[in-house]
């Protein structure tokens, strides 16, 4: 099992460009999450999907959109990237439906720089 | 005031020492998580607890719901325990502390 995979690992964008971060899990988990991690700020929840077909905002959703494509895949889209979105992005999944109700398994992260 | 406060921010220990990392929170919660972030950046969940105490190997996590406080203990610390330890609480949202950076010297 690969667990939680994220693509790409690194990305550099110019201000105003768009991109989609991909996340997939092969553990048949119900819930999936997107976080960003900034120096001195800790992890912050952007969006989550408690089950296939549902998505909800987390602490810092502005500037992002998500799609729960199917049970395996949860993508994060930046429509018009800004330098403030420079961060490391982590995807995670958990077996039980619901926010923070079960052990989470994290992907390796995507390091995004917006110039 | 941050909803989740961890202490200390940084901790240096000698191999073999008993280590305690603290997490205090200000909101009502249904669950608390402890995570470990390795120097390379990977994140691993250690514990999820809503009451009492859990133990896994040399790691012990406790929570006191009335006092809104949790501790993570590491017994017989080893250099491979060097990492950032992160507390997260599940209230209305999922809120993370800023982490405690632990360095264990041989």
């Amino acid at each position: 099992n690969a667990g939680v995979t994220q693509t790409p690992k690194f990305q550099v964008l110019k201000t105003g460009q768009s991109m989609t971060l991909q996340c997939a899990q092969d553990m048949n988990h119900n819930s999936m999450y997107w976080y960003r991690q900034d120096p001195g700020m800790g992890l912050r929840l952007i969006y989550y999907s408690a089950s296939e077909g549902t998505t909800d905002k987390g602490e810092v959703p502005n500037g992002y959109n998500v799609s729960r494509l199917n049970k395996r895949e949860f993508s994060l889209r930046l429509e018009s990237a800004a330098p403030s979105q420079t961060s490391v992005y982590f995807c995670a999944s958990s077996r039980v439906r619901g926010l923070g109700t079960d052990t989470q398994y994290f992907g390796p992260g995507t390091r995004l720089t917006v110039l | 005031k941050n909803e989740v406060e961890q202490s200390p921010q940084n901790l240096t220990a000698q191999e073999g020492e008993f280590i305690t990392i603290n997490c205090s929170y200000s909101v009502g919660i249904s669950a608390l998580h402890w995570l470990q972030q390795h120097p390379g950046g990977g994140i691993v969940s250690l514990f999820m607890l809503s009451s009492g105490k859990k133990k896994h190997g040399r790691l012990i996590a406790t929570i006191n719901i009335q006092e809104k406080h949790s501790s993570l203990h590491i017994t017989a610390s080893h250099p491979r325990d060097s990492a950032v330890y992160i507390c997260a609480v599940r209230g209305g949202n999922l809120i993370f502390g800023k982490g405690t950076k632990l360095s264990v010297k041989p």
Side-chain angles (χ1 to χ4, degrees), chain A residues 66-95:
Chain A
V66 290
S67 294
R68 183 75 183 265
L69 303 168
N70 47 55
K71 195 171 186 180
R72 286 188 66 244
E73 298 170 289
F74 189 38
S75 62
L76 179 72
R77 183 158 178 86
L78 287 70
E79 290 291 352
S80 179
S84 61
Q85 294 178 304
T86 293
S87 189
V88 180
Y89 291 85
F90 288 96
C91 177
S93 71
S94 61
R95 183 180 58 84

Side-chain angles (χ1 to χ4, degrees), chain A residues 33 35 37 40-45 48 57-59 90 98-106 108, chain B residues 30-31 33 35 37 41-48 86 90-99:
Chain A
Y33 308 81
Y35 298 98
Q37 186 176 40
M41 293 294 296
L43 283 160
R44 290 182 292 170
L45 181 65
Y48 69 99
K57 295 177 181 178
E59 187 184 356
F90 288 96
L99 173 63
T101 53
D102 193 10
T103 299
Q104 293 187 39
Y105 294 79
F106 285 78
Chain B
S30 57
H33 298 256
L35 311 170
Q37 186 165 28
I43 300 173
V44 175
S45 287
L46 299 175
F47 295 103
M48 185 188 73
I86 302 167
R90 200 299 196 198
N93 214 322
L94 189 56
I95 305 295
F96 292 75
K98 295 182 180 179

Side-chain angles (χ1 to χ4, degrees), chain B residues 14-105:
Chain B
Q14 288 299 128
E15 183 173 356
E17 286 186 359
F18 181 85
I19 288 161
T20 296
I21 297 170
N22 298 297
C23 175
S24 296
Y25 52 92
S26 57
V27 297
I29 68 167
S30 57
L32 183 142
H33 298 256
W34 281 103
L35 311 170
Q36 180 191 54
Q37 186 165 28
H38 299 292
I43 300 173
V44 175
S45 287
L46 299 175
F47 295 103
M48 185 188 73
L49 63 166
S50 54
S51 65
K53 179 178 174 178
K54 285 192 176 181
K55 184 174 189 289
H56 185 259
R58 295 180 295 106
L59 301 178
I60 303 165
T62 64
I63 187 168
N64 185 318
I65 296 292
Q66 286 74 30
E67 294 188 3
K68 292 186 166 60
H69 181 267
S70 175
S71 293
L72 177 69
H73 305 287
I74 305 175
T75 62
S77 59
H78 190 275
R80 65 176 175 266
D81 297 326
S82 297
V84 176
Y85 292 84
I86 302 167
C87 166
V89 299
R90 200 299 196 198
N93 214 322
L94 189 56
I95 305 295
F96 292 75
K98 295 182 180 179
T100 293
K101 186 174 183 180
L102 171 65
S103 178
V104 182
K105 306 293 185 188

